Amino acid sequence: MKKRKENHNTFSSDTISIKVLFCLFLTSMLSLDSPTAKGQLLSDQLKNEFKNAALRAADWIETNQIKTNHDANQGRIMLTYDSETETADYRQAGSWMQGVSIMGLLMAYHRTDDAKYFQAAARTAEYVKTLQILDARNFTSFGAFREYTPQTEWIYPRDALTASWSMLWMYEETKDPDYFYRAKIFNRWFVDHVMKNGWPAWKWSVVDNEHDFLQGSFHGGSAGYFYDYARVTDDRSDMSKGLRDIADEYMSKFLQPDGNVKVIYDAEKGRYIEDGKLQAGMQIMHRHNDDFGSIALLQAYVATGDEKYLKSAEAYAEWLISEQRPDGGYGDPDVPPAAATGPILLVDLYKITGKEKYLKSAINGGRYLLTQQNEDKLEPRTYGGVWGYGLKKWWGTGEYGMLNLRTSSYAIIAWLKLEGVEQGPYFSPFDRKGSLPESLQMIK
């Protein structure tokens, strides 16, 4: 595979910021095996609990995957399981949930060398492939991933991006050029068509031009995809528009000075929507679960050396910690996935800054997650899954009675990062062993 020639007018690996070099030195000293982390805060026993919980969640995902080749849904993973009615929902397990489950399964595979996790990830990747639009006659949607099935007529671009993210990680794992091609053509759709007024669309129609350009804060996390694409493929051609520009817009429009997040912005009317009605669940959830916007800021910091990104990520972390309850969960009422997305961010912030308060909050979040994992060994459809949002008990009620693929997949990543053997690369500026890219200064 030939590497794409870099545009040296845009990208440079010239002078590396002294502050970022210091960050690199600091991370080498502040692994989770450091005396502070290994002592009172993070004991070997607790690390082992986190590892075992992560593998139980990975087993729950693998067990509840459709494996028969006589089913058009082969590779698809269960979205939710309702323990009260004993019913499973596979139908609404969209592209992004399949994508993030691939990341969790790959992390479990690297932690254990158990081939069943890789095989499960590969099966899911084959299903995700069926969602991608490869008909070049539909040039405005060519490369996109449909939301649910190969027949779905619309797309959430943020979800499609996570599907492409899974293609990227499968390419890193296998070096299969088909995965690389799929991620590459997705980039062209996303950057060339989906971006408008400096921000990606909320919803995209495959059959007409009735797209929704309402702006959601969750696209702040989209920036991180382009960081990972550059470090996996060495193609940095979309780093400025994909990583830096989205990160800058996220900070200026959605992330507030106190670290809180405004979730929805109507660009046509020039106002935020905070009525608790339009996309009410999004308004509630995407403050405490920022969909990795803060991780993208850390990645922008590593890529540019510009400390404004680190300061903004810390501002969000400070706000999130202020919202942590005594039991370790985040938000009131509880925002279930935040107990996983919070530690995913805070472990990396600890490694970058050395500030112990981030690790303490992450550990408390990880402990709370342990209490949310199902331990009924007699029922394989439930054992190892993590409680979260579902369609019956909805966002904002503080109640949830379903095991949830979103929270379970994120929990695998959070718990294994807390254990510290696998430290990345999913939703992280770090690689698996906790190192930053050699060429830190990705953007001039």
Side-chain angles (χ1 to χ4, degrees), residues 273-342:
I273 297 175
E274 300 177 283
D275 58 8
K277 297 178 181 178
L278 180 66
Q279 296 288 345
M282 295 288 189
Q283 291 187 43
I284 294 168
M285 181 182 65
H286 280 308
R287 293 167 63 238
H288 299 84
N289 164 24
D290 70 340
D291 222 348
F292 307 107
S294 47
I295 285 288
L297 295 179
L298 288 185
Q299 292 168 320
Y301 169 61
V302 170
T304 66
D306 193 330
E307 201 167 70
K308 70 180 182 182
Y309 299 112
L310 177 60
K311 289 180 178 178
S312 292
E314 287 201 79
Y316 175 75
E318 295 286 350
W319 175 83
L320 184 66
I321 291 172
S322 76
E323 291 283 306
Q324 190 169 33
R325 304 187 308 275
D327 64 4
Y330 298 92
D332 185 14
D334 184 41
V335 178
T341 59

Side-chain angles (χ1 to χ4, degrees), residues 7-24:
N7 180 349
H8 291 286
N9 293 323
T10 305
F11 306 102
S12 171
S13 58
D14 295 340
T15 305
I16 298 177
S17 163
I18 293 176
K19 291 180 179 178
V20 180
L21 276 174
F22 176 73
C23 162
L24 182 60

Side-chain angles (χ1 to χ4, degrees), residues 6 101 126 162 168 223 241 243 256 280 296 307 313 335 392 400:
E6 294 178 4
S101 70
E126 289 302 310
T162 303
L168 182 64
K241 193 169 184 178
L243 174 61
Q256 304 304 297
E307 201 167 70
V335 178
K392 187 174 67 172
Y400 42 93

